[in-house]
Amino acid sequence: MLEKIKELDTDLFLYLNGKHNSFFDPIMYWASDNLIWLPLFALITILLVKEYKNLSISILIVIVMLIASCEQLTANLISNTVKRLRPSHEPALQKLIHLSEAGPGNQYALVSSQAANIIGLTAFLFFLLPKKYNPLKWIFGFCAFLVAYSRIYNGLQYPIGVILAGFIGTILAFIAINLLRYIFIRRLSY
């Protein structure tokens, strides 16, 4: 059963990774680069400070804890324990995949840390922000999808690693929003 899942995952990876072209190559390269997202993170910080004033420091602390948790769980615990080779390091796939300028990445990655981080942050903002920010939430959602898909497009992740990252990021975001609500907000209201 596990071998069949792995085979389907590889086939889907090869299909999606094979759908590259010269127009999307630079877009997907930059989507996977953390530096390109700094203006968005600055916008989020400004938005949170404007919307939540004194509570924004607690929110930013919880966001840092959320991203650190996503990173530690996906990269250090899961990927380093399971040790599944990235597609870019899989000898049988080396001549079949499209690898971006970003290079092959680290050797192991069962779950995409970058996808878990951005999906976790996006889910947290979906849970946190009021309805008046719904258009912005969808922009964040599109950015999260772009980062997650870019990991496959660039030859660095299998689809299952991106899907698992989505689950992990969303679950940790749910825990983080409840941590914020029940610990930080309750403490600030006394």
Side-chain angles (χ1 to χ4, degrees), residues 21-33 36-37 142 146 150 153-154:
N21 63 51
S22 59
F23 176 79
F24 284 108
D25 284 354
I27 293 169
M28 293 302 175
Y29 167 77
W30 284 107
S32 273
D33 190 316
I36 197 77
W37 298 107
F142 173 76
L146 187 64
S150 76
Y153 185 98
N154 290 329

Side-chain angles (χ1 to χ4, degrees), residues 73 117 170:
L73 183 61
N117 294 344
T170 303

